[in-house]
Amino acid sequence: MTKPVLNVDARQFLSDLHIDGSWREGANGERFNVLNPATEDVLASVASAEIADADAALDAAEAAFGDWASRTPRARSEILRKCWELMTARLDEFATLITLENGKAGNDARGEATYAAEFFRWFAEEAVRADGLITRAPASGARIIVQHKPAGIAVLVTPWNYPAAMGTRKIAPALAAGCPVIIKPASETPLTMLALMPLLEEAGVPKGLVSVLPSKKSGALVDHLLHDPRVRVVSFTGSTQVGRKLLHSAADQVLKPAMELGGNAPLIVFDDADLDTAVEGAMLAKMRNLGEACTAANRFYVHESVAGKFAEKLTAAMAALKLGNGLDPDVDVGPLVNADTRDKVAAFVRDAIDKGAELLLGGTAPAGPGFFYPPTVLTNVPETADCVDDEIFGPVAALQTFSDTEDVIRRANDTEYGLVAYVFTEDMKRGLQVCERLDYGMVGLNRGLVSDPAAPFGGTKQSGLGREGGHEGMLEFMETQYISASW
């Protein structure tokens, strides 16, 4: 068992399974390596969970459920508030760990750590607001009593792109609702979630309530969990392809699903947009987390009358970013998470150029260790380019033009995804009208950032089911009970 030290020099990390408040090897003693994507060096050897470990976590969650569910909302709230205080005090430590295993630059990593901590504060406040209802049936005169109750054990499957925030965005509402959780973090980035466990313990979270099961056998492990009758909720953030598989498994037990899946975000710049605001927003929407985000702007539609000027300004902003190891305070853009992601991004760029796109910046991965790919700008990207239909998930801006509002709305909606869109215009009437016609769960109007713990995060179509954040995020972990009463 390793000690809970987040020290970049000591290179000591929590690397065992966390079950029932204790650290342990996996049932078969197997381990897997976690790499630093900037150097390709091994950061840690992490225990790999097996089916027996999943059963142990389920037993612990079942034992912890009754006491936690029966605690007053205020008691749960105070513990979540303490989680926020403790994590806020350790933001730099968590940011360093995020950079080490994910690769993102220091400022970006600190932003994620701050965002992750904020979910504890928000849901500390929401824990006391699971409001019910008492009214009278109009016809029968019976009293209608409606209340929300914790649903039960929740399985949380989190991605590698936000190793802290995607965990706390699920853990905090589940605990606020009164549910125990079992977390399966991404194999590329399990260390941040393991490092969170001593903090939860210090804040007063009871043992058994939160277990973390890293595993290289993710599919079999999660499928086993979803077929245990004690599990009542599954919350997943990741690709639509994997989400579909989990929904099939969830259907066997009729679990409550919360699915935040893929995106193909359009960013629309109208002819009257403030171009400096639009470029600033585009940089946030494209380059936050190196573009490795489901919310990343994927398709840029710029009005033909301002397309040249916008491309010039965006290219200058992208060119000013420094590429390198995220631990360097002067670096703006770190590596992508692994070789497959880098190679996929490079393939998108080659395909677009082969089909007629013009390369304005970047486009060639640097030599040497690390999974680096430079900020890249493409213009005149044809509709047939692969990156128009698929998430790029990297630092590549693919620019197209439009002249007609109806046409750009049609093109923006012409995708199976519906997570987020971005609109830039100084005409607020037009902006709001366009936003309402976009088939997306979220829209940023003159903003390149929509994520906020206080807002319901989620999409339409094949971008998912349910919402995370806001008041809705806690209700995903609750069942609504109705009592018909007479007195």
Side-chain angles (χ1 to χ4, degrees):
M1 183 185 75
T2 54
K3 296 180 180 180
V5 176
L6 293 180
N7 185 310
V8 63
D9 296 320
R11 292 291 196 275
Q12 294 180 354
F13 304 99
L14 290 163
S15 58
D16 292 335
L17 310 181
H18 187 266
I19 300 172
D20 201 18
S22 65
W23 300 94
R24 60 180 77 178
E25 288 278 352
N28 291 344
E30 295 185 3
R31 305 185 74 86
F32 62 92
N33 290 335
V34 175
L35 302 183
N36 180 335
T39 64
E40 302 184 45
D41 294 333
V42 175
L43 278 174
S45 173
V46 177
S48 182
E50 300 284 343
I51 299 302
D53 303 308
D55 289 337
L58 285 165
D59 291 342
E62 183 180 31
F65 180 33
D67 172 70
W68 184 250
S70 66
R71 295 195 189 192
T72 64
R74 178 62 67 198
R76 296 197 294 264
S77 171
E78 293 295 337
I79 289 176
L80 288 170
R81 175 78 183 190
K82 184 65 173 177
C83 291
W84 170 73
E85 292 172 354
L86 291 172
M87 192 167 185
T88 299
R90 302 171 191 175
L91 290 180
D92 288 339
E93 295 178 348
F94 277 96
T96 297
L97 184 51
I98 291 167
T99 295
L100 284 169
E101 67 173 346
N102 170 272
K104 67 182 69 175
N107 285 339
D108 208 352
R110 201 174 198 282
E112 182 191 339
T114 303
Y115 175 55
E118 188 63 23
F119 282 105
F120 286 125
R121 178 161 64 165
W122 173 257
F123 284 107
E125 296 163 348
E126 286 300 296
V128 299
R129 297 189 177 91
D131 298 332
L133 172 72
I134 299 178
T135 187
R136 196 169 188 185
S140 69
R143 264 61 174 188
I144 295 174
I145 303 170
V146 179
Q147 61 181 342
H148 303 291
K149 302 171 65 175
I153 298 172
V155 172
L156 315 180
V157 184
T158 60
W160 50 257
N161 57 344
Y162 287 91
M166 295 304 95
T168 61
R169 192 164 78 177
K170 300 175 189 299
I171 295 168
L175 296 187
C179 297
V181 300
I182 298 170
I183 308 160
K184 211 302 291 181
S187 299
E188 292 87 351
T189 58
L191 301 176
T192 302
M193 197 47 47
L194 290 169
L196 187 65
M197 294 305 103
L199 184 150
L200 298 187
E201 181 181 1
E202 185 179 346
V205 175
K207 72 172 187 175
L209 203 64
V210 180
S211 292
V212 183
L213 303 179
S215 181
K216 287 298 289 184
K217 301 174 181 177
S218 300
L221 185 82
V222 173
D223 188 69
H224 178 76
L225 287 167
L226 299 190
H227 284 91
D228 191 291
R230 292 171 290 183
V231 172
R232 296 311 312 144
V233 180
V234 55
S235 179
F236 169 70
T237 298
S239 71
T240 296
Q241 292 77 11
V242 175
R244 292 187 187 114
K245 294 178 182 178
L246 293 182
L247 283 169
H248 277 287
S249 294
D252 291 337
Q253 290 286 111
V254 195
L255 304 183
K256 286 192 61 151
M259 297 276 153
E260 194 267 282
L261 307 178
N264 186 7
L267 187 147
I268 304 171
V269 181
F270 282 97
D271 53 348
D272 67 338
D274 181 307
L275 289 188
D276 290 332
T277 298
V279 169
E280 181 182 356
M283 291 295 291
L284 267 175
K286 176 74 264 182
M287 294 304 294
R288 185 167 175 249
N289 198 39
L290 294 80
E292 294 176 308
C294 52
T295 55
N298 206 61
R299 298 167 292 151
F300 287 69
Y301 298 113
V302 187
H303 193 276
E304 60 184 13
S305 66
V306 296
K309 192 67 174 177
F310 178 85
E312 178 184 333
K313 286 178 174 286
L314 181 67
T315 301
M318 294 278 272
L321 299 176
K322 181 179 178 181
L323 182 70
N325 191 320
L327 294 177
D328 181 342
D330 295 327
V331 162
D332 304 297
V333 180
L336 296 171
V337 73
N338 54 35
D340 287 345
T341 301
R342 178 199 57 199
D343 294 346
K344 183 178 179 181
V345 170
F348 278 131
V349 172
R350 288 194 303 270
D351 171 78
I353 293 172
D354 288 345
K355 291 174 178 174
E358 179 184 353
L359 180 67
L360 299 184
L361 179 72
T364 302
F371 310 122
F372 292 96
Y373 198 85
T376 297
V377 181
L378 299 167
T379 190
N380 298 321
V381 175
E383 287 290 335
T384 55
D386 291 344
C387 64
V388 173
D389 293 323
D390 296 327
E391 285 185 285
I392 298 171
F393 238 63
V396 178
L399 276 57
Q400 300 178 274
T401 62
F402 74 94
S403 59
D404 177 72
T405 298
E406 293 298 318
D407 175 62
V408 78
I409 292 173
R410 178 193 61 77
R411 290 162 67 189
N413 285 335
D414 186 19
T415 173
E416 67 181 7
Y417 301 106
L419 187 62
V420 62
Y422 304 92
V423 176
F424 290 87
T425 176
E426 291 297 284
D427 184 339
M428 292 304 292
K429 178 180 179 180
R430 174 167 66 178
L432 289 170
Q433 288 175 337
V434 170
C435 288
E436 289 186 355
R437 294 181 60 193
L438 291 172
D439 191 2
Y440 291 83
M442 303 175 290
V443 183
L445 179 55
N446 294 323
R447 287 181 57 83
L449 179 64
V450 298
S451 303
D452 194 302
F457 186 105
T460 63
K461 297 185 283 186
Q462 305 234 4
S463 285
L465 299 168
R467 293 295 182 268
E468 295 186 312
H471 183 68
E472 294 86 346
M474 184 172 66
L475 296 181
E476 297 291 343
F477 296 92
M478 306 190 87
E479 296 284 7
T480 299
Q481 183 183 55
Y482 148 58
I483 300 171
S484 179
S486 296
W487 58 73

